[in-house]
Amino acid sequence: MLPKLVTSLLCVAVVMLITDFNDAIVFKFTNVECLSRNQSWFVFHYCRLKAISREKVFLNVNGTVLHSVNNIKVHVKLLKKANGFKPWLLDVKIDACRSLENNFHPFVRIIFDLFKDFSNINHTCPFVGLQVVKDFYLRPELLKLPFPSGEYMLTLLWFFDKKIQFDTNVTFIYKEDLINS
């Protein structure tokens, strides 16, 4: 019985390795919301989506941190739409300064790898001044995990010195075609 189980598991592992789980038909932003809760610490200049084509939508966020900050915590939630947005895979509170230094959380690393090439938010603390995410679009080849098709919302609540400063909500669609791939 045990050799059959081991053989079955090896077959499943080989199929997963040779299957490209990231053949997305649609992987694009559908909405973005940004809200500064403390205008004396953080100000959004703009936060919007720009449709480039039917398949590609750019995210542009521009804001200013008005005072130097060394203690940044982020409450990250990934929600999936099913009769409203429901908690799905990710609900963590991370230390952003520590995470930028040594990338200790695997899901946060995946999210950071998606947008690091489009942003100046790629250094360690302290943060002060203009923070920009420019012409960021979703690239399925950077996803390192299989992802079920659906509509998702990534919510980020940003805390500076244990006080909420702003929040960002990004909604996106991921649809894959495993039959034709």
Side-chain angles (χ1 to χ4, degrees), residues 100 103 107-116 121-122:
L100 287 170
N103 301 315
F107 290 113
V108 173
R109 179 69 188 171
I110 290 170
I111 294 168
F112 180 71
D113 283 346
L114 284 172
F115 80 89
K116 71 179 180 181
I121 308 169
N122 54 10

Side-chain angles (χ1 to χ4, degrees), residues 38-171:
N38 187 350
Q39 297 275 333
S40 65
W41 269 86
F42 190 88
V43 176
F44 280 107
H45 304 295
Y46 60 84
C47 176
R48 61 179 162 248
L49 297 177
K50 180 179 178 184
I52 299 302
S53 68
R54 191 174 280 224
E55 294 83 25
K56 191 182 282 189
V57 176
F58 286 171
L59 170 68
N60 291 294
V61 179
N62 186 320
T64 302
V65 179
L66 299 173
H67 306 285
S68 180
V69 61
N70 288 309
N71 183 6
I72 303 173
K73 305 278 192 247
V74 184
H75 187 181
V76 181
K77 288 186 193 179
L78 185 60
L79 310 165
K80 189 168 193 279
K81 191 169 189 177
N83 288 335
F85 284 101
K86 309 282 189 222
W88 184 61
L89 179 66
L90 186 62
D91 187 354
V92 295
K93 294 178 182 169
I94 62 158
D95 182 340
C97 295
R98 181 176 162 216
S99 182
L100 287 170
E101 287 176 12
N102 56 14
N103 301 315
F104 67 95
H105 197 284
F107 290 113
V108 173
R109 179 69 188 171
I110 290 170
I111 294 168
F112 180 71
D113 283 346
L114 284 172
F115 80 89
K116 71 179 180 181
D117 296 335
F118 303 96
S119 175
N120 68 344
I121 308 169
N122 54 10
H123 58 85
T124 58
C125 292
F127 278 91
V128 67
L130 189 63
Q131 307 302 314
V132 176
V133 176
K134 183 175 168 77
D135 295 340
F136 167 47
Y137 63 96
L138 296 170
R139 299 172 290 174
E141 65 271 8
L142 294 180
L143 285 179
K144 297 177 175 92
L145 295 172
F147 220 65
S149 293
E151 187 172 352
Y152 296 89
M153 179 187 294
L154 178 68
T155 66
L156 303 168
L157 294 172
W158 297 82
F159 296 84
F160 296 173
D161 297 326
K162 299 182 182 178
K163 296 178 186 119
I164 191 164
Q165 301 301 321
F166 64 94
D167 58 313
T168 52
N169 297 330
V170 179
T171 309

